[in-house]
Amino acid sequence: MPSDGENMSNDHGSLFATALTQFNRGADLIGLSDDLRQILSQPKNEIIVNFPVKMDDGRFEVFTGYRIQHNNVLGPYKGGVRFSPLVNLDEVKALASWMTWKSALCDIPFGGAKGGISFDPHRCSSEELERVVRRFTHSLGGNIGPDYDIPAPDLGSNSQTMVWMMDTYANSTGSSERQNVKRVVTGKTLETGGSHGREKATGQGVVFCLQHWADEVGFDLSSATVALQGWGNVGSATGRILQVHGAKVLAVSDHAGAIADQDGIDAFDLTDWVQENGSVKGYPNADWIEPSDLWSADVDILIPAALENQITADNANDIKAKVVVEAANGPTTLEAEEILSEKSVDVLPDILVNAGGVIVSYFEWLQNRSAQRWDLDDVDHRLREILWAAADSVVALQKDRESSSRRDAAYAVALQRLKTVYNQRGIFP
Ligand code: NAD
C-alpha cells in the first residue's frame, strides 16, 4: 500500500494497491510464503530524477522522471517508459510489478521495471521532446544498462524516443563499447537495431491470445464485432490485425472522443487518419458518439487499449461483450471485475494479453546481442509459441482450481516460477 504520501493514480485510488490485491490472490492460490510475499510486494529500487530542460522560448522547465525497478531475480529489469501528465510514483510502481509477473508468466529471462515522465508530450515541439528524452536518459545514468535495466516504449513514447535514449546512452559510454550497448533499449526503429514485428507486437499478441480463447470456448473470431478504447500503438495494431482475420471494428474512442459505424470502421483508413490528424476526432467515415457509449456498444469483444481504471463499477453493468481483452495495463477496477464475473463476461488479463510487446522486445535484445536479424515470420511464429504456451498454463491451472479467475491463474503461474527460483537461490546473505 502506498504509505509515503505519493500521488494516487486517479479517483479510483491507488493503482499499486489494486496490483497488490491481484498479487495476493495469485499468491494465495499457490500458498506463497509470507517472506516471499514481503519481498515481492515492494519494488527493489525507486529512482526519481528532477532535471532541467531548455524550452524553445528560452525558459528552463524542471521535469520529474521515474524508474521503478521491481524485481530482477529472473533477469535484467525490463519495462516501458510512459509520458503522460498522469504519471506518478504509485502508477509506475504498479506498472513495474506487472512487468515482473508478465515476464515470469511468459517464461522469458527478464525482470520487471517501468519508468515515466510526468508531462504531456503533445504540448512539446519535436526539439523540446528530444531534449527532454536525452536529458532524462542522462539523469538515469548507470541506473539503466544493456544487461541491467532495459527500457522500451509505452503510452506517449515510441520508437523515435527509444532511438534518442539509445544514442544518448551510447554517447555516454566509451567509444569501444558503443556498438555493444544498442540493446540498452528495445522498441527501436528497424534501421537503428529494432526488430521486425516490434511495432505491432503488442497488438499481434492480443490477437494471438484472442485466438487461443476463441479455440477454447468455441467462438468464431472471423465474424466477430469489436469495440476498442485507444487507437495508439496497441489499439490500432490490434484493430488492423483483427480486421485482417475478418472481424469488424464497430466503435473506437481515444483522448479526443469516440466514433462508431454499424457497418464497420476500416482500421487501415482510420490509422492513416489518426496519423495525419492526431486523433479520431473529425474522422469522416463514422458517426460521432459519446465516449461513455463505447462501453455499452453491442459487440462481441471489448478491448480497452488506453489507460488504467477505465472499466469501473459505473460502466461494467452496461457491457454487452462476451469478453473483455485487457490490451492496456490495469484497465479494469477490482469492483468492475466482480461485476463482470457475475455477468459471466470473460476477462483476458493484461499480464498475459499485452505481453507480446515485452516478448518481441526480448527478441530484439537477443538479435542485438548476437548481431542477427530475424524475419517477420520467424518473429511472429516465436511470439505465438510463447504466448500460447503461457495461455495453456493459465487454462490448465484454472481448470485445476475451479474457483479461480483467469487473472488469479495467470498470477499463480508467474508466482510459481518466481517461487521456484527464490527457493533454489535462497535469499542473500
Ligand atoms: P499510445 O500512446 O500509442 O496510445 C494511447 C492511446 O490511448 C491513444 O489512442 C490515446 O488517444 C488514447 N488515450 C489517451 N488518453 C485517453 C483517454 N483519457 N480516454 C480514451 N483514450 C485515451 O500508447 P500504447 O503504447 O498504445 O499503450 C496503450 C496501453 O497499452 C497502455 O496501457 C500501455 O501501458 C499498454 N501497453 C503498451 C505496450 C506497448 O508495446 N506499447 C505493451 C504493453 C502494454
Side-chain angles (χ1 to χ4, degrees):
M1 299 281 285
S3 54
D4 43 4
E6 60 211 30
N7 293 329
M8 298 298 162
S9 277
N10 56 29
D11 52 6
H12 294 284
S14 160
L15 195 64
F16 189 53
T18 300
L20 279 182
T21 303
Q22 295 171 341
F23 160 73
N24 277 310
R25 285 184 186 159
D28 288 345
L29 264 188
I30 61 156
L32 194 70
S33 69
D34 287 346
D35 288 344
L36 283 182
R37 278 184 206 239
Q38 261 195 77
I39 291 168
L40 291 168
S41 289
Q42 286 295 339
K44 282 200 173 176
N45 303 312
E46 300 179 19
I47 299 143
I48 302 181
V49 290
N50 295 305
F51 55 94
V53 175
K54 193 170 193 173
M55 308 309 280
D56 289 347
D57 62 6
R59 278 178 314 112
F60 278 89
E61 251 181 57
V62 175
F63 291 79
T64 301
Y66 303 87
R67 187 70 185 168
I68 304 301
Q69 297 167 333
H70 179 261
N71 191 277
N72 64 348
V73 79
L74 298 181
Y77 298 114
K78 184 85 190 84
V81 286
R82 176 175 283 204
F83 296 164
S84 150
L86 301 176
V87 164
N88 63 69
L89 182 57
D90 176 75
E91 177 189 64
V92 188
K93 280 169 69 172
L95 291 162
S97 70
W98 286 328
M99 290 306 299
T100 301
W101 320 139
K102 220 175 275 187
S103 296
L105 169 60
C106 295
D107 208 8
I108 56 173
F110 280 149
K114 203 83 176 194
I117 308 176
S118 178
F119 82 119
D120 183 356
H122 306 293
R123 299 212 167 168
C124 287
S125 68
S126 172
E127 293 73 22
E128 286 172 338
L129 198 54
E130 177 173 353
R131 290 196 290 275
V132 170
V133 171
R134 286 187 184 276
R135 188 59 210 250
F136 175 53
T137 311
H138 188 262
S139 298
L140 288 176
N143 289 303
I144 58 171
D147 295 305
Y148 178 60
D149 183 353
I150 305 145
D154 191 70
L155 191 97
S157 61
N158 57 26
S159 55
Q160 176 62 72
T161 317
M162 293 305 115
V163 178
W164 286 330
M165 287 189 83
M166 183 263 282
D167 185 72
T168 307
Y169 187 87
N171 276 294
S172 315
T173 48
S175 14
S176 62
E177 277 306 301
R178 270 181 209 157
Q179 294 306 324
N180 284 332
V181 298
K182 269 188 190 163
R183 63 184 193 282
V184 65
V185 291
T186 57
K188 302 179 289 288
T189 59
L190 206 50
E191 297 78 9
T192 60
S195 175
H196 283 293
R198 175 60 185 90
E199 195 79 23
K200 62 154 188 160
T202 307
Q204 182 66 70
V206 170
V207 177
F208 284 147
C209 289
L210 253 173
Q211 286 174 329
H212 192 278
W213 169 84
D215 270 2
E216 181 199 336
V217 303
F219 176 81
D220 180 11
L221 210 52
S222 69
S223 58
T225 52
V226 186
L228 273 138
Q229 186 197 40
W231 201 257
N233 173 284
V234 179
S236 69
T238 304
R240 290 192 303 273
I241 299 167
L242 281 173
Q243 181 171 308
V244 169
H245 285 283
K248 260 189 198 169
V249 176
L250 299 193
V252 175
S253 73
D254 71 4
H255 66 280
I259 53 172
D261 186 343
Q262 278 313 304
D263 296 328
I265 297 166
D266 185 287
F268 291 88
D269 191 47
L270 181 63
T271 301
D272 290 345
W273 172 270
V274 171
Q275 240 156 31
E276 267 170 44
N277 299 280
S279 76
V280 302
K281 197 171 174 182
Y283 181 64
N285 302 322
D287 300 321
W288 193 240
I289 59 166
E290 281 301 316
S292 56
D293 290 344
L294 183 97
W295 309 114
S296 55
D298 197 0
V299 290
D300 303 312
I301 302 171
L302 180 61
I303 309 182
L307 307 173
E308 52 263 15
N309 289 334
Q310 297 300 297
I311 301 181
T312 67
D314 291 338
N315 57 28
N317 269 313
D318 302 333
I319 289 176
K320 299 195 181 81
K322 298 175 178 58
V323 60
V324 169
V325 185
E326 293 186 332
N329 283 304
T332 315
T333 65
L334 297 170
E335 298 77 22
E337 191 159 13
E338 262 175 48
I339 296 170
L340 293 175
S341 162
E342 279 159 22
K343 282 163 59 91
S344 299
V345 176
D346 272 342
V347 176
L348 306 191
D350 46 9
I351 60 168
L352 172 66
V353 158
N354 70 33
V358 71
I359 295 169
V360 178
S361 275
Y362 169 51
F363 298 161
E364 179 176 332
W365 185 78
L366 283 177
Q367 290 170 76
N368 289 167
R369 225 173 122 131
S370 53
Q372 289 184 31
R373 175 148 280 165
W374 304 351
D375 67 29
L376 182 58
D377 284 348
D378 197 9
V379 169
D380 281 350
H381 175 75
R382 291 177 195 236
L383 171 62
R384 195 181 57 208
E385 294 290 297
I386 291 181
L387 274 174
W388 282 4
D392 282 346
S393 331
V394 172
V395 172
L397 198 138
Q398 204 194 4
K399 286 208 170 113
D400 200 40
R401 318 280 172 95
E402 268 174 24
S403 60
S404 74
S405 69
R406 273 171 210 269
R407 189 188 313 281
D408 296 347
Y411 271 75
V413 172
L415 293 175
Q416 184 60 53
R417 292 207 170 110
L418 286 152
K419 178 181 168 182
T420 304
V421 173
Y422 268 107
N423 285 345
Q424 290 178 10
R425 286 177 66 156
I427 310 291
F428 181 81

